[in-house]
Amino acid sequence: MENGAVYSPTTEEDPGPARGARRGLAACFSLARLPWYRRVLKGLQLLLSLLAFICEEVVSQCTLCGGLYFFEFVSCSAFLLSLLLLIVYCTPVYDRVDNTKVKSSDFYITLGTGCVFLLASIIFVSTHDRTSAEIAAIAFGFLASFMFLFDFGAMLFEKLQESQLRKPENTTRAEALTEPLNA
């Protein structure tokens, strides 16, 4: 047997330029599904909630720990939820699920996370011991909650614009009822 006969059916030829420049993980990752301002907001949500969680984890002692524990839970959850949404938007998972369900989930998750993160930050402000790590965590928490709420506002604005584009011409109901059908 010759080497060519043994190895030719199992080896892959040089793919050449037909496959394109993107390979590996880069081929599965795309930021094009989100407008630039939403990408910035999603990135800031991810970064600020992670920083809030890290700063909160540095706190070594507390007198009223309930606010700290609630803030810890919320900041970690916010980081994981924003990471999950970013992964869904930037990978082929987005193509496999219904786009309207992804957008609707993002809409309500972002609103809920922003409100609960703001509440957790307010509670943590009222119970903290004024250490530098706690103050940094609170600052990052407020900034992250505002980024979630700004993102919600941007999605709400987009929804309102879409609904305005879908509305038919300005005809009143009385005009539509009095107009003959075959006119």
Side-chain angles (χ1 to χ4, degrees), residues 12-88:
E12 183 178 339
E13 294 181 21
D14 183 26
R19 285 193 183 173
R22 296 178 60 165
R23 296 174 192 239
L25 289 176
C28 296
F29 191 78
S30 171
L31 291 172
R33 291 183 187 98
L34 289 172
W36 69 270
Y37 58 90
R38 297 268 328 276
R39 280 181 279 194
V40 170
L41 287 171
K42 292 286 181 200
L44 285 172
Q45 291 168 13
L46 190 67
L47 177 68
L48 292 170
S49 59
L50 177 64
L51 289 174
F53 179 70
I54 290 172
C55 289
E56 173 275 325
E57 284 297 317
V58 173
V59 175
S60 59
Q61 61 184 358
C62 60
T63 52
L64 296 172
C65 297
L68 177 71
Y69 295 151
F70 182 57
F71 187 84
E72 175 183 15
F73 170 74
V74 171
S75 60
C76 182
S77 298
F79 170 71
L80 293 174
L81 285 170
S82 61
L83 180 64
L84 174 69
L85 287 171
L86 199 58
I87 288 171
V88 168

Side-chain angles (χ1 to χ4, degrees), residues 59-121:
V59 175
S60 59
Q61 61 184 358
C62 60
T63 52
L64 296 172
C65 297
L68 177 71
Y69 295 151
F70 182 57
F71 187 84
E72 175 183 15
F73 170 74
V74 171
S75 60
C76 182
S77 298
F79 170 71
L80 293 174
L81 285 170
S82 61
L83 180 64
L84 174 69
L85 287 171
L86 199 58
I87 288 171
V88 168
Y89 274 116
C90 296
T91 60
V93 172
Y94 185 80
D95 298 327
R96 293 186 182 136
V97 295
D98 186 17
N99 297 347
T100 56
K101 289 183 181 179
V102 171
K103 290 179 181 179
S104 178
S105 298
D106 186 16
F107 185 77
Y108 292 112
I109 288 172
T110 303
L111 172 64
T113 305
C115 291
V116 173
F117 212 154
L118 184 62
L119 178 66
S121 299

Side-chain angles (χ1 to χ4, degrees), residues 143-172:
L143 289 173
S145 64
F146 292 143
M147 290 305 121
F148 279 100
L149 294 174
F150 288 153
D151 192 18
F152 169 74
M155 286 187 282
L156 184 63
F157 182 73
E158 289 173 1
K159 277 189 172 193
L160 291 175
Q161 280 186 329
E162 286 177 13
S163 68
Q164 290 295 330
L165 293 175
R166 290 183 192 163
K167 282 187 178 177
E169 294 181 19
N170 291 337
T171 58
T172 64

